[in-house]
Amino acid sequence: MLRRFLSPESLARTSSRRPWTTIGIWILTVVVALFLVANLLGDAITTQFVFTNTPEAQRGVNLLEDLRGEPSSTNEVVIVQSDSLTVDDPAFEQKLVGLFDGIVALGPEVVREGTITNYYQSRDPFLVSQDRRTTIIPFVMAGDFDDATDNIGEVIKVVDEAKGQQGFEVLITGQATVGEEFQEISESDLQTGEAFGIPIALIILVLVLGTLVAAIIPVILAIVSIVIALGVASVVGQAFALSFFVPNIIFMIGLAVGIDYSLFIIARYREERARGLDKLEAIGRSGSTASRAVFFSGMTVVLALIGMLLVPFNVFIGLGLGAILVVVASVLAAMTLLPATLSLLGDKIDALSIPWVGKAQRRYDETHTGGFWDRVSRGVMRRPVVSIVLAGGLLVAAAVPFFDLNIGFAGVSTMPDDSESKQGFLILDEKFSAGEVTPAEIVIEGAPDSPDVRSGIQRLTDLLAADAAFGSPREESNSALGLTALTVSVAGDSATKEAEDAIKRLRSDYVPTAFSGIQDKVYVTGETAYNLDFFEQVKDSSRIMFPFVLGISFLLLMLVFRSIVVPLKAIIMNLLAVGASYGLLVLIFQKGWLAGTFGLQESPIVEAWIPLFLFAILFGLSMDYHVFLLSRIREHFDGTGDNTESVAFGIRSTGRLITGAALIMVSIFWAFAAGELVGLQQMGFGLGTAILLDATIIRMVLVPASMRLLGQWNWYLPRWLHWLPDLRVEPQESAAAPAPAGSDD
């Protein structure tokens, strides 16, 4: 009984009979979500990258916190530079001391006590550049990483007040400063994506649906879903801090799937009305067909995204949760809020028709053969083998550059040139050591005064002195805890290959050599070590995530279509689309092919989280179109038993909608790729490219060609699996005369 009440058809009928109650519940939910976003979202997100398990870098961080008695925070550096004066001039000293005192005056709740120093206090030569025209004020922010991110604005304000005076250039760079700018740029990129994505989506909706009213409704429902997902994320983030990318992914995925789901249901409702069904019956019929397709499509996306939660890193978990929340909200809105809206609007959904476009949509009859999509599908099916070889070969060729994939983290050097933290970093790297901001930390478990520890530290110091990538180590210890830490700068941006190679030498060569035969445990941590451990975690997690996503997708499609052939083909085709998008990512971003033409930033790496993220998202979203297309093919096949005509019908009846839906997704994803952060560029471009490939080469060529070759074997389900529940999208009662599915009789 409960199952029938919660079925897509029952929800559609109930919502359409009580439209004001349904809409009232949704309005109340949106108000609560807006309140949660306004009051909690800021505290729910973080720019910090955190493991949820304990690889070497994390164990080292934990021990450092024990040693220092304080949570790990961020290193910051203020840079003071003059074109005409040196640090030996009184005016330079006056400027520097005034700035120093202003930072100290912020108090120990902002700057960690005992960590800030300047050249005029210590006369330490490492604080002054070789030409003596630049000096630095290094310090550590108080509290943990998030406290530092919250408070860095106060330090930046002091620095800004000192700029442009007496010919001095004053800059600040560091982990919290970079994190602050990353967050600001990501918010700007989000606004850019919205500014371009929503208008383009509206234009496509108008062209597909033919009326302004019908086009606006999917956008409104998508925005409702986004607000609710952000509200829930605000609450979840109080227990588990979410990555600052989460709002971007919620907006991106929410606009894409929220609009698409509503588009399919509205189109089916109008189709049923055109057949003569009354308003409520048309809504119910749409619920039993299009809403069921939306439900199973959403389930496929969610199950694929669950794979991201298996990666022990807050970025993946946060992005996965954000995407799951907005997909669930979009499905619920499409299954309840949309039927209620259709019930109130009725035929007014066709109001404000666009000349020519609206008339063409009303004249369209999917039962008649002919038209672009019908000709394409039949042309492909006349030469299925040639079509498969050409289309498959093109996708394989596009995937070839993937074998040169180089994953990494986009460091400060990939930020926009006008970024202050990047400018400061470049000065620091040129005149000092940028590694002072992100040094390597070597933690030794053992009595600090023991001969083994002292001799090991001396040998390690000698080895580091012979390597130009490292600075001189600074030591701190705690005898009571039996811990010693060495802090050593590493040249260059922490995200570069040079820095990574230096940490690899430190871990695999220098530390084992220096502490050979000693029982004490030694851990290497720091930002670069963190990155390296993350790469290993990604590789390990992919061995779990890939089989999980593939397996769960196969099982769901097998239940929905009662076939083992359909899910196998879907997986193979989706792998081709994902592989091709990976290859194009490498070709354009790593190799720089046409990057400038597309307004994209060339980068020596693809962000390490991108491949796994794209795999989970794309597998889910690509299945959307597969479910919608194959459900119409199966519906017609159940009624006629004619494989070729059913494929042509499916392509013909969904061609306009799926193309419009795909173009909406592509435009939204590519709009987000127009931002400045290279990670978001790669994510938006990769998603948009894969959806474009899926909606063209896969759907227009590979699907009809493969289904033509296989015939009734498309629906083959072994006899020993006939006990499985029948979850097919299109209800069997709609079929006039069900045709027998393949069996192993």
Side-chain angles (χ1 to χ4, degrees):
M1 187 72 180
L2 181 62
R3 179 182 173 185
R4 289 189 61 188
F5 176 75
L6 294 178
S7 71
E9 181 177 3
S10 296
L11 287 175
R13 292 185 183 278
T14 302
S15 301
S16 63
R17 292 191 185 108
R18 299 178 177 84
W20 287 115
T21 301
T22 303
I23 292 174
I25 293 171
W26 276 95
I27 290 174
L28 179 62
T29 306
V30 169
V31 170
V32 172
L34 287 171
F35 174 81
L36 294 173
V37 171
N39 291 277
L40 299 178
L41 183 60
D43 296 329
I45 60 177
T46 179
T47 56
Q48 186 177 16
F49 292 166
V50 180
F51 288 106
T52 57
N53 60 355
T54 53
E56 179 180 348
Q58 186 62 54
R59 292 198 296 271
V61 167
N62 295 341
L63 291 173
L64 281 174
E65 291 181 349
D66 293 339
L67 170 66
R68 295 165 178 166
E70 295 177 299
S72 294
S73 190
T74 71
N75 298 312
E76 305 295 319
V77 176
V78 173
I79 304 161
V80 182
Q81 188 175 49
S82 173
D83 291 333
S84 57
L85 303 177
T86 70
V87 294
D88 304 307
D89 291 303
F92 201 122
E93 180 176 359
Q94 182 180 2
K95 176 70 175 180
L96 189 286
V97 171
L99 178 59
F100 178 85
D101 291 342
I103 297 173
V104 171
L106 295 174
E109 65 276 3
V110 175
V111 177
R112 186 170 290 175
E113 201 167 7
T115 64
I116 186 168
T117 186
N118 68 69
Y119 172 70
Y120 300 104
Q121 275 186 338
S122 65
R123 297 293 171 177
D124 195 325
F126 97 89
L127 297 173
V128 180
S129 64
Q130 190 171 0
D131 64 6
R132 303 186 69 76
R133 295 186 186 277
T134 308
T135 186
I136 58 176
I137 304 174
F139 58 93
V140 178
M141 294 293 290
D144 60 18
F145 193 97
D146 288 329
D147 293 329
T149 303
D150 292 338
N151 295 329
I152 193 64
E154 296 185 47
V155 182
I156 293 173
K157 185 178 179 181
V158 173
V159 171
D160 287 343
E161 290 173 352
K163 290 179 180 177
Q165 299 176 8
Q166 295 110 22
F168 286 95
E169 183 177 11
V170 183
L171 298 167
I172 181 171
T173 190
Q175 293 161 295
T177 312
V178 171
E180 172 89 357
E181 287 207 79
F182 261 113
Q183 192 162 342
E184 289 177 358
I185 296 171
S186 74
E187 291 172 358
S188 174
D189 288 353
L190 178 60
Q191 294 169 2
T192 300
E194 293 170 345
F196 285 99
I198 293 177
I200 294 173
L202 267 173
I203 292 171
I204 297 171
L205 282 168
V206 168
L207 294 175
V208 172
L209 295 173
T211 72
L212 285 176
V213 173
I216 290 171
I217 291 173
V219 176
I220 295 174
L221 262 69
I223 293 172
V224 166
S225 303
I226 289 168
V227 170
I228 291 172
L230 285 171
V232 178
S234 300
V235 176
V236 173
Q238 305 308 306
F240 180 85
L242 304 173
S243 167
F244 67 100
F245 281 136
V246 167
N248 296 68
I249 199 63
I250 286 177
F251 269 91
M252 187 186 299
I253 301 300
L255 284 174
V257 302
I259 290 174
D260 278 10
Y261 291 163
S262 298
L263 170 62
F264 283 108
I265 293 174
I266 289 173
R268 188 62 185 247
Y269 165 77
R270 295 169 76 186
E271 180 184 320
E272 298 299 340
R273 286 288 287 151
R275 289 176 176 172
L277 295 183
D278 66 35
K279 180 179 68 177
L280 293 182
E281 190 59 32
I283 293 173
R285 179 62 185 165
S286 301
S288 67
T289 54
S291 291
R292 283 172 64 88
V294 165
F295 174 73
F296 285 113
S297 295
M299 278 185 61
T300 307
V301 178
V302 168
L303 290 172
L305 288 168
I306 288 175
M308 293 184 65
L309 307 185
L310 303 177
V311 184
F313 204 64
N314 72 324
V315 172
F316 279 98
I317 295 173
L319 292 177
L321 281 174
I324 287 171
L325 290 174
V326 80
V327 170
V328 170
S330 298
V331 170
L332 291 175
M335 292 172 62
T336 57
L337 180 57
L338 181 55
T341 304
L342 291 174
S343 177
L344 291 179
L345 287 175
D347 291 337
K348 291 179 182 177
I349 196 170
D350 292 325
L352 301 178
S353 177
I354 306 301
W356 300 295
V357 178
K359 289 181 180 179
Q361 301 302 338
R362 286 192 294 272
R363 287 197 305 267
Y364 177 75
D365 186 352
E366 65 182 25
T367 61
H368 293 165
T369 59
F372 174 76
W373 298 109
D374 193 68
R375 289 194 298 270
V376 167
S377 61
R378 294 181 189 278
V380 167
M381 286 190 287
R382 277 195 293 271
R383 296 176 178 82
V385 175
V386 174
S387 300
I388 289 174
V389 170
L390 291 177
L394 183 62
L395 292 176
V396 170
V400 169
F402 170 66
F403 294 100
D404 292 330
L405 176 69
N406 180 30
I407 62 170
F409 269 125
V412 65
S413 57
T414 65
M415 295 181 72
D417 290 338
D418 60 354
S419 161
E420 180 176 321
S421 56
K422 179 177 180 177
Q423 294 171 6
F425 169 83
L426 294 175
I427 293 173
L428 197 63
D429 196 37
E430 177 188 356
K431 297 180 179 294
F432 301 90
S433 171
E436 290 294 340
V437 176
T438 54
E441 305 265 17
I442 304 152
V443 188
I444 305 149
E445 279 189 297
D449 296 328
S450 70
D452 283 347
V453 170
R454 298 320 310 169
S455 61
I457 290 174
Q458 184 58 54
R459 286 193 293 270
L460 181 59
T461 301
D462 293 340
L463 290 168
L464 294 176
D467 191 327
F470 295 99
S472 300
R474 300 188 298 276
E475 182 180 336
E476 55 187 311
S477 61
N478 186 315
S479 298
L481 295 175
L483 294 173
T484 304
L486 300 176
T487 301
V488 55
S489 64
V490 183
D493 185 347
S494 62
T496 60
K497 186 176 186 302
E498 290 74 19
E500 292 171 4
D501 289 342
I503 296 301
K504 289 176 182 177
R505 292 196 299 275
L506 180 60
R507 279 179 163 177
S508 62
D509 187 3
Y510 300 159
V511 167
T513 299
F515 291 88
S516 176
I518 299 175
Q519 298 299 316
D520 302 313
K521 295 180 180 178
V522 182
Y523 305 99
V524 177
T525 188
E527 190 164 309
T528 306
Y530 229 75
N531 292 351
L532 291 173
D533 284 353
F534 172 74
F535 302 154
E536 287 302 314
Q537 293 292 317
V538 166
K539 292 176 184 176
D540 292 341
S541 298
S542 65
R543 299 186 183 101
I544 301 173
M545 179 179 167
F546 277 57
F548 174 83
V549 172
L550 294 176
I552 207 74
S553 299
F554 178 87
L555 289 174
L556 183 61
L557 289 179
M558 181 176 66
L559 292 174
V560 170
F561 293 107
R562 292 190 65 77
S563 165
I564 62 170
V565 177
V566 165
L568 279 175
K569 286 194 308 173
I571 286 172
I572 292 171
M573 292 176 188
N574 282 345
L575 286 175
L576 284 172
V578 171
S581 68
Y582 283 172
L584 292 173
L585 268 178
V586 172
L587 189 65
I588 289 175
F589 285 94
Q590 274 188 222
K591 300 182 182 299
W593 186 71
L594 295 179
T597 303
F598 294 128
L600 301 172
Q601 181 179 347
E602 186 176 348
S603 172
I605 56 94
V606 170
E607 285 269 19
W609 55 273
I610 292 288
L612 280 186
F613 174 78
L614 287 186
F615 179 79
I617 292 285
L618 292 175
F619 233 82
L621 295 182
S622 296
M623 288 297 182
D624 266 4
Y625 302 135
H626 241 68
V627 170
F628 283 113
L629 171 58
L630 292 178
S631 65
R632 297 309 299 270
I633 294 174
R634 183 67 197 245
E635 177 186 20
H636 197 273
F637 181 78
D638 283 343
T640 66
D642 189 326
N643 180 70
T644 301
E645 282 301 318
S646 296
V647 173
F649 170 83
I651 298 287
R652 180 174 69 244
S653 62
T654 62
R656 175 174 51 90
L657 290 177
I658 290 180
T659 300
L663 287 175
I664 289 169
M665 278 198 182
V666 171
S667 63
I668 289 171
F669 292 148
W670 281 359
F672 278 89
E676 294 184 289
L677 290 183
V678 69
L680 290 180
Q681 286 186 3
Q682 292 173 352
M683 177 173 67
F685 178 82
L687 286 170
T689 300
I691 294 298
L692 185 62
L693 293 173
D694 183 75
T696 53
I697 297 176
I698 299 292
R699 178 174 56 89
M700 294 171 61
V701 182
L702 290 181
V703 169
S706 62
M707 296 197 79
R708 173 67 179 84
L709 280 178
L710 290 169
Q712 293 200 7
W713 284 98
N714 285 299
W715 314 110
Y716 171 71
L717 184 72
R719 181 186 295 277
W720 55 274
L721 289 177
H722 283 188
W723 60 271
L724 291 172
D726 189 344
L727 300 180
R728 73 185 68 195
V729 174
E730 303 295 344
Q732 283 182 293
E733 58 265 24
S734 67
S743 68
D744 57 356
D745 289 347

